[in-house]
Amino acid sequence: MTSKFLAELSNDYERLFETEIGYDVIIYTGEEPNVKEIHAHSNILCIRSQYFRSAFSNEWAEKRDGKFIFRKPNISPQLFNIILRFIYCGNIELEKLQAPLLELLLKRDDLNLDEVEIWENLLKWCFVHQNMENDPTKWSGENITNIKRELHKFIPLIRFYDIEPADFFYKVYCYKDILPQDLIHDLLEFHIVPNMKSKANLPPSRKSNQIDSTLIGSRHIPLFASWIDKKDSSHYNKKDTPYNFNLLYRSSRDGIDTRSFHRNCDNKGATIYIVKIKNSTQLVGGYNPLDWNGGLWKTTADSFLFNFTDKQNVSTAKVSYVNIQDHAVYCYHNWGPTIGNLYCDSNNRWYYKIYSEGERYPNIGIPTRFEVEDYEVFQVVRK
């Protein structure tokens, strides 16, 4: 019943896009003499697209006769029509595109799709054009050669490093015979070897919720947001996360001393900090729903500590909510971020202290003493 309703709803939005009933947005696409006027609805664009949500909130957005005016000379009318259709109803029929238009589409950074979906749609396009079955076990050597030739110019446009490990294994690695072997090697190394960074000269990430971090990725954000809202069972996903995480401080960039921490993070409201333990894959840290200015202990019921034994694998995460609320967060001008049992003292020494009188936070395996490779602090702001 639900799936039928969603399908009908998608069809209704597609009809609205095609009929243009009640449109209040005019978008001029393409360059002279091939400019085309496209009509749309601001409420749908705002709800479905972060780009348009920001554009409409800009006080300088052009408006004429009650309609918003946008000009997109750098996008062909046909390509923009495809993008809008997807915004309205989630439907992109890549298999119907000609190769040049598909290439233009894949070069864009604002598709608002998970990268694995883009990869799967590219494969679908290829198999339609090759009139082949999507079953690598049945491919001949000639089939593999033809697929490689068809995909050759598109492979560099896929942001493979943005694909989650499980999706890489089940949805990319099984096609290793049609991908460049050096790419497969690099991706395996990236997913398996601790602390391995992605290779240089890659296209920018397409992730709409990409976070400015050298320690975590977008897969961590829904988990943090779920912990903040104390969602025990159904966690947020990447598309419905209700918070922005704005980088305030990075110790390797801003100085690994407590004064730099306070200069960047005081009076910023709720924050979360992530600490990379030296010579390991472990991340620890905590969430402070208050602020870092003021003195001594602060009281809250909403703070927590966390521990990822492997930063690449979010399933290794553990979270620990405050037990003793009047010792939830410690703020002092010459101490670093300190929450409950997890300290960063005035000499920038990090340690986890276990108290005999009771745990301020339940123990989740944070080391009692460790050295820090880097740490970051993010302001948490509801969207």
Side-chain angles (χ1 to χ4, degrees):
M1 182 68 181
T2 301
S3 60
K4 181 181 178 182
F5 170 77
L6 292 176
E8 291 177 351
L9 185 63
S10 176
N11 290 335
D12 288 341
Y13 275 105
E14 188 167 23
R15 279 193 292 273
L16 180 63
F17 171 65
E18 291 172 347
T19 60
E20 304 178 353
I21 296 172
Y23 75 91
D24 62 345
V25 180
I26 299 174
I27 305 167
Y28 295 99
T29 59
E31 297 180 339
E32 295 289 354
N34 299 312
V35 174
K36 181 180 179 181
E37 182 177 310
I38 297 176
H39 298 159
H41 305 81
S42 61
N43 52 354
I44 293 176
L45 298 184
C46 281
I47 291 170
R48 294 277 292 155
S49 168
Q50 177 63 50
Y51 168 81
F52 279 108
R53 190 153 54 246
S54 300
F56 286 118
S57 66
N58 190 329
E59 61 179 307
W60 301 109
E62 183 182 352
K63 203 168 187 181
R64 187 172 66 230
D65 297 330
K67 292 181 171 58
F68 291 97
I69 307 296
F70 291 95
R71 304 179 194 279
K72 295 293 176 184
N74 61 326
I75 306 179
S76 72
Q78 187 180 1
L79 179 57
F80 201 83
N81 194 72
I82 291 169
I83 294 171
L84 279 185
R85 186 177 297 275
F86 173 75
I87 289 175
Y88 271 73
C89 59
N91 181 24
I92 292 184
E93 296 179 324
L94 290 184
E95 62 270 21
K96 295 183 179 180
L97 297 182
Q98 296 300 312
L101 194 57
L102 176 61
E103 185 176 5
L104 286 174
L105 186 65
L106 293 180
K107 285 180 177 179
R108 300 201 62 80
D109 300 328
D110 52 2
L111 295 183
N112 198 29
L113 283 169
D114 285 340
E115 201 65 27
V116 70
E117 294 180 75
I118 297 172
W119 165 244
E120 289 179 314
N121 275 289
L122 175 60
L123 289 176
K124 187 188 298 184
W125 175 88
C126 177
F127 298 142
V128 167
H129 280 247
Q130 290 288 325
N131 194 26
M132 285 180 53
E133 188 177 350
N134 183 2
D135 186 353
T137 63
K138 297 180 179 179
W139 294 343
S140 66
E142 183 181 0
N143 292 148
I144 292 172
T145 299
N146 290 337
I147 295 171
K148 283 182 174 180
R149 186 181 299 116
E150 188 84 69
L151 293 178
H152 174 72
K153 64 181 176 181
F154 301 117
I155 294 301
L157 304 179
I158 303 298
R159 281 66 158 171
F160 286 103
Y161 287 92
D162 284 346
I163 296 176
E164 300 291 344
D167 285 333
F168 166 74
F169 183 78
Y170 290 110
K171 299 178 180 180
V172 177
Y173 186 69
C174 56
Y175 297 104
K176 61 184 182 298
D177 291 338
I178 62 173
L179 290 168
Q181 292 307 297
D182 57 343
L183 174 63
I184 289 294
H185 173 272
D186 291 345
L187 289 169
L188 283 172
E189 188 178 46
F190 174 72
H191 287 298
I192 294 173
V193 179
N195 304 317
M196 180 59 61
K197 297 186 181 298
S198 57
K199 301 300 181 182
N201 302 319
L202 297 172
S205 174
R206 259 189 283 253
K207 294 178 180 177
S208 59
N209 58 349
Q210 180 75 0
I211 187 168
D212 181 10
S213 175
T214 62
L215 303 180
I216 60 172
S218 61
R219 61 188 177 278
H220 296 86
I221 299 306
L223 198 55
F224 289 150
S226 299
W227 289 342
I228 290 170
D229 286 349
K230 299 182 179 179
K231 292 171 68 70
D232 294 328
S233 53
S234 58
H235 286 168
Y236 292 117
N237 59 47
K238 292 179 183 179
K239 295 180 180 179
D240 66 3
T241 301
Y243 298 100
N244 288 321
F245 292 79
N246 305 321
L247 181 67
L248 296 174
Y249 169 79
R250 178 179 295 139
S251 63
S252 59
R253 180 193 69 183
D254 302 312
I256 190 163
D257 59 272
T258 58
R259 181 175 297 179
S260 297
F261 160 72
H262 282 285
R263 183 174 60 249
N264 287 276
C265 302
D266 282 1
N267 300 302
K268 295 297 195 300
T271 56
I272 192 166
Y273 67 96
I274 297 99
V275 180
K276 170 70 166 59
I277 295 180
K278 194 172 183 178
N279 298 323
S280 79
T281 61
Q282 191 168 5
L283 297 177
V284 299
Y287 171 66
N288 174 6
L290 305 172
D291 50 52
W292 290 109
N293 60 300
L296 305 182
W297 290 103
K298 293 185 176 182
T299 300
T300 178
D302 299 321
S303 57
F304 58 78
L305 295 173
F306 60 84
N307 177 16
F308 292 84
T309 55
D310 180 359
K311 68 173 187 174
Q312 298 283 8
N313 186 356
V314 295
S315 67
T316 66
K318 293 182 179 179
V319 64
S320 171
Y321 291 96
V322 61
N323 269 342
I324 304 176
Q325 295 179 13
D326 59 359
H327 279 69
V329 178
Y330 186 77
C331 302
Y332 198 62
H333 67 90
N334 65 345
W335 280 58
T338 296
I339 291 184
N341 307 57
L342 182 58
Y343 287 85
C344 175
D345 68 18
S346 57
N347 295 313
N348 208 47
R349 292 175 300 194
W350 292 78
Y351 53 93
Y352 184 88
K353 190 172 182 179
I354 298 175
Y355 291 91
S356 59
E357 70 272 18
E359 290 294 328
R360 296 170 180 175
Y361 291 76
N363 192 337
I364 51 173
I366 297 175
T368 53
R369 290 195 177 274
F370 54 89
E371 291 185 53
V372 171
E373 181 178 312
D374 200 3
Y375 79 96
E376 298 173 334
V377 183
F378 297 87
Q379 183 184 40
V380 180
V381 181
R382 185 171 285 277
K383 294 179 180 178

